[in-house]
Amino acid sequence: MSSSSSNSSGPLLGLSSAVTEGESFNMQPPSEPSRRNWIIACGAVGAGAAAAVAVPLLGSMAPSEKARSAGAPVEVDIADIPAGGVRIVEWRGKPVWIVRRTPEMLQGLEALNSQLADPNSDRADYPVPAYAKNVHRSIKPELLVTVGICTHLGCSPVSKFETGEPSGIAVDWPGGFFCPCHGSTFDIAGRVFANKPAPDNLEVPRHMYLSDSRIVIGQDEQGEA
């Protein structure tokens, strides 16, 4: 793996299967009237002599303008998301992260409950579908589907999947997401740590599996969101 850092960015719209390396999930605010699409900026992970671990990001083609305007459900192919990788798609003008978590990423979730503001996702401002009211906040433990917008002021967090000191967060960091705007931190299930500016966990949109390799976002067995 190269020790040099590189950055690449580009509009998600028009990408059919772009793969980049990096950890930043930055976006134009969805409320910005002058633009409907958002930008994924990818930065290298790690610095100095420490070994860098890249987070694969896969950009999927966004739905049509008509579909996006209507807030229509979005079908996503998840077959090629690698372990520890992320696919990002647009739904209702918002970035939705689909993270394929490894067993190692999941193993410490229950132990974090005492450090979290809402470990069981009970708060009503961002209601969680019943099938995601569990410690991993997902239908299948390995696959997290969440909206990549901080619940504080709408910034977009960055991935910090590396644990411990190499993450640059804390020596006991378990891995998760970090919002650089005001310092909110979320675990790998999108649950916010206590005493942070963000008042709630990351949103889990309605979704369901169409097959082992495809999901739909914005719709479940109860209907559309």
Side-chain angles (χ1 to χ4, degrees):
M1 181 178 295
S2 172
S3 60
S4 61
S5 296
S6 63
N7 291 299
S8 65
S9 62
L12 182 69
L13 300 182
L15 288 180
S16 59
S17 186
V19 180
T20 56
E21 294 183 345
E23 64 174 31
S24 296
F25 305 151
N26 297 330
M27 55 168 249
Q28 295 291 337
S31 60
E32 184 179 348
S34 62
R35 298 189 64 181
R36 289 192 52 81
N37 63 328
W38 35 272
I39 305 301
I40 304 170
C42 303
V45 185
V53 178
V55 178
L57 303 182
L58 295 85
S60 291
M61 183 175 291
S64 68
E65 181 71 22
K66 182 178 180 181
R68 288 188 291 114
S69 297
V74 179
E75 288 190 23
V76 186
D77 186 348
I78 60 173
D80 60 348
I81 303 176
V86 183
R87 167 150 279 157
I88 307 178
V89 298
E90 182 181 4
W91 173 67
R92 293 187 173 177
K94 299 181 286 187
V96 175
W97 303 339
I98 306 168
V99 185
R100 191 178 298 280
R101 298 171 292 191
T102 65
E104 292 75 19
M105 296 166 84
L106 293 168
Q107 65 184 0
L109 284 177
E110 289 191 17
L112 296 175
N113 283 3
S114 64
Q115 304 176 45
L116 304 170
D118 183 21
N120 299 314
S121 300
D122 292 328
R123 294 180 178 174
D125 287 347
Y126 285 85
V128 174
Y131 46 78
K133 278 186 66 67
N134 47 57
V135 67
H136 39 80
R137 301 182 80 230
S138 58
I139 299 173
K140 295 184 179 182
E142 70 275 16
L143 209 73
L144 173 68
V145 178
T146 190
V147 174
I149 298 177
C150 181
T151 56
H152 180 215
L153 294 177
C155 297
S156 190
V158 297
S159 66
K160 290 290 182 179
F161 293 169
E162 275 194 292
T163 60
E165 190 171 1
S167 68
I169 302 295
V171 294
D172 59 350
W173 175 244
F177 307 97
F178 169 72
C179 185
C181 295
H182 300 95
S184 294
T185 49
F186 303 84
D187 73 357
I188 200 64
R191 301 178 298 175
V192 67
F193 282 85
N195 303 313
K196 298 294 181 180
D200 289 290
N201 299 332
L202 297 179
E203 178 186 357
V204 175
R206 287 193 194 182
H207 63 284
M208 65 180 182
Y209 284 79
L210 301 177
S211 68
D212 288 341
S213 61
R214 294 191 71 82
I215 65 171
V216 59
I217 297 168
Q219 181 178 342
D220 57 18
E221 293 180 355
Q222 304 302 314
E224 292 188 18

